[in-house]
Amino acid sequence: METKNHSSSTSAFVLLGLSSNPQLQTPLFAIFLSMYLVTIVGNMLIILAIRSDSRLHTPMYFFLSNLSFMDICFTTVIVPKMLGNLLSQTKAISYVGCLVQMYFFIALANTDSYLLASMAIDRLMAICNPFHYNAAMSPRHCLLMLLGSCTISHLHALFRVLLMSHLSFCASHVIKHFFCDTQPVLKLSCSDTSSSQIVVMTETLAVIVTPFLCILFSYLRIIIAVLRIPSAAGKWKAFSTCGSHLTVVALFYGSVIYVYFRPLSMYSVVKDRVATVMYTVVTPMLNPFIYSLRNKDMKRGLRKLRDRIHL
């Protein structure tokens, strides 16, 4: 009898993980568990600090608190399963579980991207159009920007998962990655994926590049405006409000562009896993430190939160 190759007959995949070396499983588990806990605690502190200090109830910190919440969800979609697989012999994930993980990974990653763009727009309005700032970045507009970001991101994720669900898989069900990402799953398919690759690349360009170009345009305008400020102190003050955001943008988009804006033929298991760790685990972990260490308002908010906890 002829063996069925369609995805409907695929009950599970095997996630190869970061390394197949048994001696590295326990050290990797300890490292990534520590990073995950730091991510959760750090981003929760950012959220609580912003909520507890009324002076941080501004558009910039509204987007930052939502970015921290998305980062918590983002890492939770990936890291707990990865930690479980590091201690497991099977390392299996069901077909449905794989698609669900892919859906939330794409939705939350894209929401992060749009929130970074919203924060860039906030800085643009604050520096270049301060007299119209309150009207442009009103609570209603900020909420609409957040809802728009979530809606577009989830529609994109739904479209991607529906596309992947129509692929056929043959003998190998081993995903050479630590979670269900698009490129390694496409590599397993025995279907003709050329059209899928074109669709994935096109809609990725539309969804990822649009906020990235928005950020570039915003900072180009900001740089032009700041260079017109006569005093060096004024220039430094304006740039200092953008430094933390630019650092996060560079970390996030640098690794995302490296992983996703290349043909499937150039996909490298080792290099792509390292780059993916950067934006799925490292960047969410570093965000609280980046936004708090050089930010006087956040330091004040964290001290206020600490004092409340001690009381």
Side-chain angles (χ1 to χ4, degrees), residues 61 236 239-247 288-299:
Y61 294 107
W236 171 250
F239 274 128
S240 65
T241 64
C242 305
S244 300
H245 183 250
L246 277 173
T247 304
F289 298 100
I290 293 170
Y291 280 110
S292 61
L293 290 178
R294 296 180 58 191
N295 189 312
K296 293 180 180 178
D297 294 333
M298 277 305 309
K299 287 181 180 178

Side-chain angles (χ1 to χ4, degrees), residues 23-34:
Q23 295 180 344
L24 293 177
Q25 303 303 299
T26 301
L28 285 172
F29 177 85
I31 291 168
F32 281 94
L33 176 61
S34 301

Side-chain angles (χ1 to χ4, degrees), residues 46-67:
I46 292 290
I47 294 169
L48 293 173
I50 291 172
R51 285 179 174 270
S52 65
D53 191 343
S54 59
R55 285 174 291 187
L56 297 180
H57 294 173
T58 64
M60 176 182 174
Y61 294 107
F62 169 78
F63 290 123
L64 177 57
S65 63
N66 280 283
L67 181 68

Side-chain angles (χ1 to χ4, degrees), residues 187 197 262-267:
K187 292 279 281 188
Q197 289 180 54
R262 292 178 301 154
L264 193 61
S265 58
M266 294 178 64
Y267 176 76

Side-chain angles (χ1 to χ4, degrees), residues 96-107:
V96 173
C98 185
L99 292 181
V100 169
Q101 187 184 57
M102 186 183 294
Y103 173 86
F104 283 105
F105 163 73
I106 294 169

Side-chain angles (χ1 to χ4, degrees), residues 110 114 152 156 159-160 163 182-183 186 193-211 213 260-264:
N110 287 341
Y114 279 105
I152 294 171
H156 172 221
F159 176 77
R160 178 75 65 85
L163 180 69
T182 305
Q183 298 286 47
L186 276 175
T193 60
S194 56
S195 58
S196 298
Q197 289 180 54
I198 293 171
V199 172
V200 167
M201 185 67 73
T202 303
E203 48 98 19
T204 300
L205 282 169
V207 175
I208 299 295
V209 173
T210 300
L213 290 177
Y260 294 106
F261 292 94
R262 292 178 301 154
L264 193 61

